[in-house]
């Protein structure tokens, strides 16, 4: 499997605070990569570098390179809008628009002019099918998405990305608002989506990383301490700090 | 314990008294206007021209004039105010220019209405040669309401959760698409609140229209934006102070119509607003 995302010597400052320090990793295509580490270690910041969501914050300085499919996403010629279509994001709190289920899915395709009006129904159906929501919601497409359960909302947010044909899914603690059973079902969905998407997940939950991911990176205080196959990280960590973290000595 | 209870009752009583103090004058005004003015109301009063040196007949031209002025000034001020607010809250960086603009808006809100009238006279009537006309009056009134519209629109935009913008950006929407599709629709009810507040202000102001549009008496109705109009507040003023022998119920009837017109326009705007709320 080839590298979908290649990060090299990435440094990021929020004002004077050095939040990412010389981070480098390569993310395999159509695999699930998890980033673990204690709060404030920079894992969400790293995730947000990959779709340039950090651009929205004032006073951020980024150095180094992030290449996706070989293209430097911070090069002057790349448009963040095209990047974010390709690299979608799922947030910690499920955040559907207070619109109907249908309009939530249709938002992305409309913004990117991906569909004519008569194709939109198919896109909505396919996107909901991709996240196994179609059977539950096919009769509730006009209902306000805020009325859905948390798990359904989170699936809907993933379906929104399917609708714009994202290739990479960045998931920022996607299950932290969900109960354990819903969490398991979302993890199942992630494994199912793995055949079509490159998935990066930031999680607090080490068991989740162990259960779901192929590769794992451990971050601490802005540095990527260790990165490798999930089985290796969890069974034979090379770094003492990784071992301390996964065995629960801190964090 | 009983001491605390007594204190609480006293506090509660004070708050209630303060609230009543606010409500009572409003009630008193309404009761006064309705009891003294009700007898003047008739189809003739509402829909015909004044007669006998404005001591009898109807006040239709003044009603029409005020209605036209409200419509014209809102349709000028609402788009401009909303655009300015969108710029200030979504695009503008916090720099010297923005701070100067903010200061200007606050000051504009504090300028007394007669100064707006003089300004309208010198800029629109004289310098731009719009003459004493609906156009000059509506622009003057519009400028006067801009701070209200800008401020309420900014509040409405600020009340749209940050996450809507974030999701929109994360789906690859541009800044304008984000504003257009995931901010403005959710701010519309709040923006309309600003418009509603402006309606009352525009309909009731006398000073800004004094030099720019209002006519003492016109024998016929206006045909274009270049014409003068009569307006309810000004008509009320002259009927009360400039013309001897105007019956009391005629004057209070005019006030009642003014209050009623504002009420009707507010209800209409509120209905539009609640339709927007339901849609979301």
């Amino acid at each position: 499997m080839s590298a979908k995302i290649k990060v090299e010597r990435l440094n990021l400052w929020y004002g004077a605070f050095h939040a990412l320090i010389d981070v480098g990793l390569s993310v395999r295509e159509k695999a699930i990569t998890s980033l673990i580490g204690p709060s404030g270690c920079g894992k969400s910041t790293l995730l947000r570098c990959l779709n340039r969501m950090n651009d929205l914050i004032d006073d951020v300085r980024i150095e180094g390179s992030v290449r996706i499919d070989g293209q430097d996403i911070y090069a002057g010629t790349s448009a963040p809008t095209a990047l974010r279509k390709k690299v979608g994001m799922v947030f910690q709190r499920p955040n559907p628009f207070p619109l109907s289920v249908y309009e939530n899915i249709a938002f992305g395709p409309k913004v990117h002019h991906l569909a004519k009006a008569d194709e939109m129904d198919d896109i909505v159906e396919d996107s909901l099918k991709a996240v196994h929501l179609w059977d539950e919601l096919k009769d509730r497409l006009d209902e306000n998405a805020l009325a859905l359960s948390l798990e359904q909302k989170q699936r809907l947010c993933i379906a929104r990305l399917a609708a714009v044909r994202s290739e990479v899914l960045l998931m920022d603690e996607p299950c932290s608002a969900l109960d354990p059973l819903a969490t398991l079902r979302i993890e199942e969905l992630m494994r199912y989506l793995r055949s079509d998407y490159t998935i990066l997940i930031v999680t607090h939950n080490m068991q989740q990383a162990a259960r779901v991911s192929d590769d794992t990176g451990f971050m601490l205080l802005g540095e990527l301490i260790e990165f490798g196959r999930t089985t290796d990280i969890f069974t034979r960590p090379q770094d003492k700090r990784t071992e301390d973290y996964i065995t629960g000595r801190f964090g | 314990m009983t001491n605390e209870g007594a204190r609480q009752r006293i506090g509660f009583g004070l708050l209630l008294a303060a609230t009543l103090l606010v409500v009572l004058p409003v009630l008193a005004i309404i009761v006064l206007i309705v009891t003294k003015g009700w007898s003047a109301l008739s189809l003739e009063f509402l829909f015909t021209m004044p007669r006998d040196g404005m001591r009898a007949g109807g006040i239709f031209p003044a009603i029409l004039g005020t209605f036209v002025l409200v419509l014209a000034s809102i349709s000028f001020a609402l788009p401009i105010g909303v655009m300015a607010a969108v710029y200030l809250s979504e695009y503008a960086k916090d720099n010297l220019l923005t701070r100067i603009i903010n200061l200007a808006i606050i000051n504009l809100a504090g300028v007394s209405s007669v100064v707006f009238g003089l300004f309208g006279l010198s800029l629109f009537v004289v310098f731009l040669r719009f003459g004493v006309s609906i156009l000059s009056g509506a622009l003057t009134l519009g400028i006067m309401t801009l701070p209200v519209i800008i401020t309420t629109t900014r509040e409405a935009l600020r009340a749209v959760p940050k996450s809507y913008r974030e999701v929109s950006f994360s789906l690859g929407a541009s800044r304008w698409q984000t504003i257009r599709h995931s901010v403005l629709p959710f701010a519309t009810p709040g923006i309309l609140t600003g418009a509603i507040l402006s309606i009352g202000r525009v309909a009731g102001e006398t000073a800004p229209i004094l030099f720019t549009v209002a006519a003492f008496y016109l024998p016929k109705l206006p045909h274009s934006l270049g014409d003068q109009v009569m307006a309810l507040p000004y008509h009320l003023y002259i009927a009360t102070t400039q013309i001897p022998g105007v019956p009391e119920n005629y004057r209070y009837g005019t006030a009642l119509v003014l209050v009623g017109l504002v009420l009707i326009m507010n209800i209409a705007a509120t209905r539009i607003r609640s339709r927007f709320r339901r849609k979301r």
Side-chain angles (χ1 to χ4, degrees), chain A residues 174-199:
Chain A
C175 300
S176 63
L178 305 180
D179 66 65
L181 285 175
T183 299
L184 284 180
R185 287 193 293 267
I186 294 284
E187 288 175 8
E188 205 176 291
L189 175 65
M190 289 168 63
R191 279 193 291 269
Y192 165 79
L193 292 173
R194 193 177 71 148
S195 53
D196 292 317
Y197 298 90
T198 303
I199 300 176

Side-chain angles (χ1 to χ4, degrees), chain B residues 16-213:
Chain B
L16 181 67
T19 311
L20 286 178
L21 266 178
V22 175
V23 177
L24 276 178
V26 177
L27 277 179
I29 290 170
I30 291 172
V31 168
L32 179 79
I33 294 177
V34 170
T35 50
K36 293 199 173 183
W38 187 254
S39 60
L41 288 193
S42 67
L43 283 180
E44 190 202 4
F45 187 66
L46 294 176
F47 293 112
T48 64
M49 307 293 284
R51 280 187 287 111
D52 298 345
M54 293 194 276
R55 290 179 189 85
I59 55 165
F60 181 65
I63 297 176
L64 181 75
T66 290
F67 185 73
V68 167
L69 283 175
V70 168
L71 228 55
S73 61
I74 296 287
S75 46
F76 155 71
L78 195 60
I80 290 184
V82 169
M83 286 192 280
V86 166
Y87 171 77
L88 286 170
S89 90
E90 305 290 326
Y91 286 97
K93 297 210 157 54
D94 185 24
N95 55 25
L96 187 65
L97 178 69
T98 311
R99 263 173 274 159
I100 291 173
I101 292 174
N102 281 331
L103 200 65
I105 291 169
I106 294 168
N107 279 306
L108 202 57
V111 172
S112 74
S113 53
V114 69
V115 176
F116 277 108
L118 271 175
F119 167 76
L121 173 68
S122 60
L123 179 64
F124 300 124
V125 178
V126 179
F127 183 71
L128 293 174
R129 297 174 195 215
F130 294 158
V132 176
S133 64
I134 298 176
L135 186 60
S136 298
L139 290 174
T140 308
L141 288 167
I143 287 174
M144 185 189 72
T145 58
L146 273 177
V148 179
I149 291 176
I150 291 175
T151 310
T152 47
T153 302
R154 289 177 77 178
E155 289 305 317
L157 293 172
R158 205 169 292 162
V160 175
K162 224 182 101 201
S163 73
Y164 295 4
R165 295 178 176 85
E166 202 175 44
V167 183
S168 181
F169 284 128
S170 81
L171 284 165
S174 67
R175 191 169 277 272
W176 169 244
Q177 285 171 325
T178 298
I179 293 167
R180 171 71 191 75
H181 298 292
S182 26
V183 178
L184 273 182
F186 305 108
T188 310
I191 294 170
L192 288 174
T193 302
I196 291 170
L197 289 171
S198 310
I199 288 174
R201 181 96 198 272
V202 167
E205 278 292 351
T206 314
I209 58 173
L210 197 57
F211 317 122
T212 55
V213 52

